[in-house]
Amino acid sequence: MSARQVVVLDYGSGNVRSAVRALEKVGADVTLTADRTAAAEADGLVVPGVGAFAACMAGLRAVHAPQIVGRRLAGGRPVLGICVGMQVLFDKGVEHGVTTAGIGEWPGTVERLHATPLPHMGWNTVDVPAGSALFDGIENERFYFVHSYGVRRWELPPPERIKPPVVVWSEHDGDRFVAAVENGPLAATQFHPEKSGDGGLRLLENWVRGL
């Protein structure tokens, strides 16, 4: 079988080369680009993100990412958000008293964690519920986090007729936050799988295999 075509969306977010290399390592044919056609037609689209929510959203809007993501999901085509690339999938982010609209695929607010010290930086465990394809074989691994903000409440009501999302949690200084989500073709991680050693590579491999 030919390698899956994956686009890592290039919109000005820093340090995306490590994500490209990790995806290539697990067998994907990876292109780093902001081209709308390539992003829409690839087998998988990765939305990376580091830094401030508002700055990432400005970069994403400049390359029409909300429309690209929406069009892909409407057609059942997989999207993976990483770190701030996960956060922007929610309704809004609040930083320093300023509220910025996100892409809005999930209800919820990205807010400053109620924990010390911040940022939450380093390796941490995650609480994976049964039925996860993304975490298959790595349920007990530790993953690498770097963030001060997160989603502290999951607000999407349970669906009536389709499989509910798999919501993975983690905790820092007693404050729980969403660490990953699998919701049909849309998946995301708050941690950096590309910086999480063998466990992170296995997660990316699981995602690529499912494309």
Side-chain angles (χ1 to χ4, degrees):
M1 183 176 66
S2 60
R4 296 300 189 190
Q5 305 291 316
V6 173
V7 162
V8 175
L9 193 62
D10 185 10
Y11 64 96
S13 178
N15 197 25
V16 294
R17 294 291 177 182
S18 56
V20 171
R21 288 193 296 268
L23 287 158
E24 289 174 340
K25 193 168 184 177
V26 300
D29 183 356
V30 187
T31 303
L32 176 63
T33 183
D35 181 79
R36 295 175 68 175
T37 301
E41 294 181 355
D43 296 317
L45 175 67
V46 174
V47 181
V50 295
F53 187 104
C56 283
M57 277 307 305
L60 288 165
R61 290 192 192 98
V63 299
H64 308 285
Q67 295 89 341
I68 293 169
V69 169
R71 191 173 301 117
R72 285 188 63 89
L73 296 178
R77 301 178 70 81
V79 175
L80 174 66
I82 295 175
C83 197
V84 183
M86 167 180 158
Q87 296 177 1
V88 296
L89 296 170
F90 288 85
D91 276 339
K92 59 187 177 181
V94 180
E95 293 178 336
H96 309 297
V98 177
T99 299
T100 303
I103 292 175
E105 292 296 338
W106 295 315
T109 301
V110 178
E111 59 185 331
R112 190 171 176 86
L113 298 180
H114 294 184
T116 54
L118 292 177
H120 170 219
M121 181 183 298
W123 298 81
N124 205 347
T125 57
V126 295
D127 182 11
V128 182
S132 170
L134 205 58
F135 288 84
D136 182 36
I138 50 172
E139 295 86 351
N140 298 317
E141 293 285 346
R142 297 167 73 88
F143 299 91
Y144 190 78
F145 292 83
V146 184
H147 65 120
S148 296
Y149 293 79
V151 176
R152 301 174 58 248
R153 291 172 297 277
W154 178 253
E155 300 179 16
L156 184 68
E160 294 183 2
R161 293 185 176 86
I162 61 175
K163 182 180 177 181
V166 174
V167 182
V168 176
W169 295 84
S170 190
E171 184 176 304
H172 175 52
D173 189 37
D175 196 20
R176 292 179 80 236
F177 59 88
V178 176
V181 183
E182 298 168 62
N183 184 198
L186 182 59
T189 66
Q190 175 62 69
F191 56 84
H192 287 273
E194 76 280 11
K195 299 179 182 178
S196 295
D198 290 343
L201 288 175
R202 175 64 182 271
L203 182 144
L204 292 174
E205 184 178 20
N206 287 343
W207 182 71
V208 170
R209 284 179 175 174
L211 295 178

